[in-house]
């Protein structure tokens, strides 16, 4: 007997939306969010790393899917490109200013759903989960890809991309939680081929959605963002009608 479709499974009860890191993968995450919002399948909790932290944090703060789409598709390299000497090409000030300007609220406690974002603590060399305090610095820290961005300082600690050790963005999600995990399958520019970190996570109550062959986007390929957004939307729309078999759906 066939199991429920993904759409039916999401409708059965509260779920957490967890979104993985992935080089400039925020276009694809935004495509998924737009479909969930249209269908009224809204998460009760949001978690993420890097690209997932950016989209999850902005949405949880109250930025609707249509506004997210518009802002991302209008993004230009000059909006965040501020090279400066330091431990990374970009200082990150332009990026932080843009995030702060977009956020409808300032703190985690003002978000419409509980939100946790993963970051990498440089001095402690471990993942930290941020879920309280100022939201913009946490988003920026989680997106601070080594080499591209200089470390972001939060509470006097240098922080980098949450995907370094928590690529799935699940560190802040309690065990036993029903989770829809949006897994970006494309290879990271700083992970070796075949790395286990590139595989969808497995845990009880989690269903991973994997949209294959998404267009690769980067700071010099921002024009592909619209293609990635549209491809993720098509994949999510198709996936909602497919039966949940095992712990993942690939489209």
């Amino acid at each position: 007997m066939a199991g429920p479709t993904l759409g039916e499974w999401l409708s059965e009860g509260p779920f957490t939306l967890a979104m993985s890191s992935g080089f400039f993968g925020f276009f694809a995450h935004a495509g998924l969010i737009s479909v969930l919002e249209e269908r009224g399948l809204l998460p009760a909790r949001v978690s993420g790393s890097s690209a997932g932290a950016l989209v999850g944090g902005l949405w949880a703060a109250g930025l609707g899917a249509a506004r997210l789409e518009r802002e991302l598709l209008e993004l230009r390299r000059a909006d965040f490109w501020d090279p400066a000497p330091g431990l990374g090409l970009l200082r990150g000030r332009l990026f932080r200013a843009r995030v702060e300007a977009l956020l409808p609220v300032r703190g985690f406690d003002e978000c419409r759903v509980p939100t946790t974002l993963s970051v990498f603590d440089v001095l402690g060399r471990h993942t930290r989960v941020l879920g309280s305090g100022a939201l913009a610095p946490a988003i920026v820290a989680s997106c601070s890809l080594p080499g591209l961005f200089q470390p972001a300082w939060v509470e006097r600690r240098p922080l980098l991309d949450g995907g370094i050790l928590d690529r799935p963005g699940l560190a802040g999600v309690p065990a036993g939680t029903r989770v829809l995990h949006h897994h970006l399958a494309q290879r990271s520019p700083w992970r070796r081929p075949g790395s286990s970190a590139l595989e969808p996570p497995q845990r009880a109550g989690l269903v991973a959605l994997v949209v294959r062959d998404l267009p690769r986007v980067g700071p010099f390929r921002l024009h592909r963002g619209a293609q990635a957004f549209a491809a993720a939307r098509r994949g999510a729309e198709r996936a909602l009608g497919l039966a949940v078999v095992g712990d993942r759906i690939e489209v």
Side-chain angles (χ1 to χ4, degrees):
M1 183 176 179
T5 66
L6 179 60
E8 291 168 343
W9 184 83
L10 292 174
S11 299
E12 288 174 0
F15 69 92
T16 292
L17 176 62
M19 293 179 282
S20 76
S21 69
F23 193 56
F24 280 72
F26 38 80
F27 294 99
H29 286 321
L32 168 66
I33 283 280
S34 70
V35 173
L36 294 179
E37 195 173 274
E38 284 179 5
R39 301 290 183 91
L41 298 170
L42 303 181
R45 184 185 186 97
V46 171
S47 183
S49 285
S50 196
L54 176 64
V55 172
L58 289 173
W59 183 86
L63 209 67
R67 175 79 185 282
L68 261 174
E69 176 186 3
R70 183 170 71 252
E71 293 292 340
L72 290 180
L73 297 188
E74 291 177 354
L75 183 67
R76 299 295 178 264
R77 191 168 66 252
D79 295 332
F80 60 88
W81 204 255
D82 56 355
L87 299 176
L89 174 63
L90 305 180
R91 189 190 301 271
R93 290 182 180 175
L94 283 180
F95 177 40
R96 177 165 174 168
R98 188 170 182 85
V99 170
E100 289 177 338
L102 286 174
L103 283 173
V105 301
R106 295 303 172 207
F108 279 91
D109 61 334
E110 300 173 89
C111 289
R112 53 180 156 181
V113 295
T115 305
T116 51
L117 310 179
S118 294
V119 298
F120 178 74
D121 188 298
V122 176
L123 299 181
R125 301 186 64 81
H126 64 264
T127 295
R128 283 181 58 192
V129 176
L130 302 181
S132 61
L135 184 56
I139 292 175
V140 171
S142 189
C143 294
S144 294
L145 183 72
L148 181 61
F149 283 103
Q150 296 171 16
W153 288 78
V154 177
E155 298 173 355
R156 301 183 180 179
R157 302 286 292 187
L159 306 176
L160 283 172
D161 194 297
I164 293 175
L165 290 183
D166 181 28
R167 188 172 191 271
L170 285 168
V173 180
T177 304
R178 299 174 74 246
V179 179
L180 172 63
H181 181 263
H182 193 214
H183 175 77
L184 298 179
Q186 69 263 37
R187 181 176 177 268
S188 165
W190 47 284
R191 293 191 193 274
R192 68 182 184 280
S195 169
S196 60
L198 300 179
E199 292 298 313
Q202 295 180 316
R203 60 183 272 180
L206 180 146
V207 175
L209 170 59
V210 184
V211 180
R212 295 291 181 185
D213 302 320
L214 289 170
R216 289 293 301 275
V217 187
F220 297 95
R221 297 175 177 176
L222 289 174
H223 61 282
R224 296 184 180 176
Q227 301 168 25
F229 178 92
R233 267 192 61 89
R234 290 193 300 270
E237 289 171 340
R238 182 185 173 199
L240 289 176
L242 297 178
V244 176
V245 179
D247 58 1
R248 74 177 69 175
I249 292 180
E250 296 192 19
V251 291

